[in-house]
Amino acid sequence: EIEVRLDAPVHELAARVPPTLGELSPDGAGTRLELRADSLDGAAGFLAGLGADFEVVRPDELLEPLARLAGRLRLAAQT
């Protein structure tokens, strides 16, 4: 299971995160998301598409797919 902290309130994210994919809960001024995903690559794309800054709590293995995605997006932005 994947856990992240998002810099957005729960009410802004609720429409973008179906209950079948994850559980949202308040976390200070932001939101904690416990996400179920079949692949870390898919989770990276989903998280990037939420439109909110976030911090990975677990697993650390999610950082590599996020870095790959960031590289692809950086290249695409240069063309």
Side-chain angles (χ1 to χ4, degrees):
E1 192 160 281
I2 295 163
E3 184 177 348
V4 297
R5 287 189 196 105
L6 296 130
D7 291 335
V10 171
H11 72 272
E12 286 183 12
L13 298 165
R16 297 182 228 156
V17 180
T20 55
L21 284 182
E23 182 179 326
L24 298 167
S25 58
D27 185 21
T31 301
R32 181 176 301 268
L33 168 60
E34 293 187 30
L35 180 67
R36 293 172 287 282
D38 292 333
S39 76
L40 293 177
D41 287 318
F46 178 78
L47 291 167
L50 288 177
D53 291 339
F54 62 91
E55 172 190 355
V56 175
V57 176
R58 64 183 165 93
D60 289 339
E61 293 82 9
L62 179 57
L63 299 176
E64 185 177 325
L66 285 168
R68 282 194 306 268
L69 178 58
R72 287 196 304 273
L73 293 172
R74 194 175 310 104
L75 285 173
Q78 295 172 358
T79 58

